[in-house]
């Protein structure tokens, strides 16, 4: 089943790669053009730069992951279940392939950053990176957080399958609420409880070290995965 999933999603993966590559090349060329033009015109040269091409490619990848994957899952779930495949087998094979895909994109982005750093060092030797690739890509943290990201995505997929586009509308409205009503959010009891919980987690982490974060991530993954599977195990075909 995993081999079938890999084969079915080859075109989707290739399309994502081309999109990320296009965004990356465009932003890198734009950054280099601006900085070289400023230097030649003896304008103020920004000595501190960031790997902007990799950054924008990463943001695009996240957008495609959380938006595109949900609709692709919607189609694949309905097709697989309608053809007699069990929900359990399809869902967990699909999620394993999704995690493998994310790992591949992370490795790709690490390569993007390395290339971008070399280009800037070659063409703009006086430039200094504000953030280096070794700082961004700390593999221990990435592989610890990856299951949590996958479980959040699985929940989004389950909710989109159950409630449709209304979920994205709800996320958008919540984002607008957080962005444009800061004073109300500060006074919100829910936000206050969230801040208190974050401070408590920070204090606990200082006492017990990394093990407490691993435990919290594991608990969150189990909870989110359980909720998602609770939706998906009884989900009917909708098309």
């Amino acid at each position: 089943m995993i081999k079938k999933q890999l084969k079915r999603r080859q075109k989707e993966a290739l399309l994502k790669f081309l999109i990320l590559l296009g965004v990356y090349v465009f932003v890198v060329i734009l950054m280099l053009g601006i900085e070289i033009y400023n230097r030649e015109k003896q304008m103020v040269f920004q000595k501190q730069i960031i790997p902007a091409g990799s950054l924008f490619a990463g943001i695009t990848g996240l957008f495609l992951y959380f938006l595109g994957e949900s609709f692709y899952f919607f189609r694949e779930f309905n097709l697989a279940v309608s053809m007699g495949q069990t929900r359990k087998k399809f869902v967990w094979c699909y999620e394993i392939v999704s995690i493998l895909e994310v790992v591949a994109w992370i490795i790709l982005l690490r390569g993007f950053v390395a290339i971008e750093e070399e280009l800037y060092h070659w063409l703009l030797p006086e430039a200094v990176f504000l953030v280096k690739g070794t700082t961004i890509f700390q593999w221990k943290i990435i592989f610890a957080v990856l299951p949590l990201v996958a479980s959040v995505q699985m929940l989004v997929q389950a909710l989109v399958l159950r409630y449709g586009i209304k979920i994205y509308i709800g996320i958008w409205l919540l984002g607008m609420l957080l962005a444009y009503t800061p004073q109300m959010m500060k006074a919100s009891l829910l936000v206050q409880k969230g801040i208190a919980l974050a401070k408590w987690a920070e204090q606990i982490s200082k006492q017990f070290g990394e093990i407490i974060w691993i435990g919290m991530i594991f608990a969150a993954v189990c909870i989110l995965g359980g909720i998602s599977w609770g939706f998906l195990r009884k989900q009917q075909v909708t098309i």
Side-chain angles (χ1 to χ4, degrees):
M1 178 60 192
I2 292 179
K3 289 183 179 180
K4 290 182 179 180
Q5 276 291 323
L6 288 170
K7 186 176 181 180
R8 282 186 61 83
R9 294 166 70 175
Q10 282 179 355
K11 291 183 179 179
E12 176 201 3
L14 178 60
L15 178 60
K16 288 180 180 177
F17 169 74
L18 293 175
I19 293 173
L20 295 185
L21 182 62
V23 171
Y24 173 74
V25 171
F26 174 78
V27 175
V28 168
I29 292 175
L30 182 64
M31 284 288 294
L32 287 171
I34 292 173
E35 297 300 342
I36 292 173
Y37 175 82
N38 288 344
R39 183 176 60 182
E40 290 179 350
K41 295 296 182 180
Q42 297 181 346
M43 297 173 67
V44 177
F45 176 71
Q46 298 293 332
K47 291 186 178 181
Q48 292 184 325
I49 59 177
I50 60 173
S54 304
L55 176 62
F56 276 90
I59 293 172
T60 303
L62 282 175
F63 178 80
L64 292 174
Y65 180 68
F66 280 103
L67 182 62
E69 276 286 317
S70 297
F71 289 104
Y72 190 80
F73 178 85
F74 179 90
R75 186 189 72 185
E76 290 293 300
F77 178 90
N78 286 320
L79 180 62
V81 174
S82 65
M83 295 181 66
Q85 197 167 27
T86 63
R87 291 165 176 78
K88 182 177 180 181
K89 188 174 182 180
F90 167 78
V91 168
W92 297 111
C93 287
Y94 187 95
E95 297 305 332
I96 289 172
V97 173
S98 293
I99 291 176
L100 293 175
E101 185 179 356
V102 173
V103 171
W105 295 138
I106 291 173
I107 294 172
L108 177 68
L109 287 174
R110 182 64 185 94
F112 280 174
V113 172
I115 294 171
E116 194 168 2
E117 287 178 341
E118 290 300 319
L119 276 174
Y120 289 163
H121 285 314
W122 177 42
L123 296 173
L124 305 169
E126 62 270 51
V128 177
F129 275 90
L130 277 172
V131 182
K132 293 186 177 181
T134 53
T135 303
I136 301 172
F137 292 89
Q138 299 186 38
W139 298 107
K140 180 173 65 174
I141 296 176
I142 288 173
F143 285 109
V145 175
L146 184 58
L148 181 61
V149 174
S151 62
V152 171
Q153 171 63 359
M154 183 178 175
L155 180 60
V156 173
Q157 291 169 343
L159 292 175
V160 169
L161 196 59
R162 177 65 64 90
Y163 301 109
I165 197 65
K166 293 189 291 291
I167 292 301
Y168 283 112
I169 296 175
I171 294 173
W172 179 80
L173 289 174
L174 179 61
M176 293 297 100
L177 184 66
L178 291 172
Y180 292 104
T181 56
Q183 296 301 323
M184 186 178 73
M185 294 307 297
K186 287 180 181 178
S188 169
L189 180 61
L190 180 62
V191 171
Q192 292 176 6
K193 292 294 183 181
I195 293 173
L197 181 62
K199 290 182 178 179
W200 173 81
E202 183 180 3
Q203 292 176 353
I204 293 296
S205 66
K206 290 179 180 178
Q207 294 179 2
F208 296 96
E210 295 179 352
I211 188 66
I212 190 66
W213 288 110
I214 295 174
M216 292 172 67
I217 290 174
F218 179 77
V221 169
C222 290
I223 292 170
L224 292 173
I227 295 173
S228 303
W229 179 238
F231 281 108
L232 293 171
R233 64 192 294 266
K234 297 180 180 180
Q235 178 64 43
Q236 299 298 317
V237 174
T238 56
I239 56 174

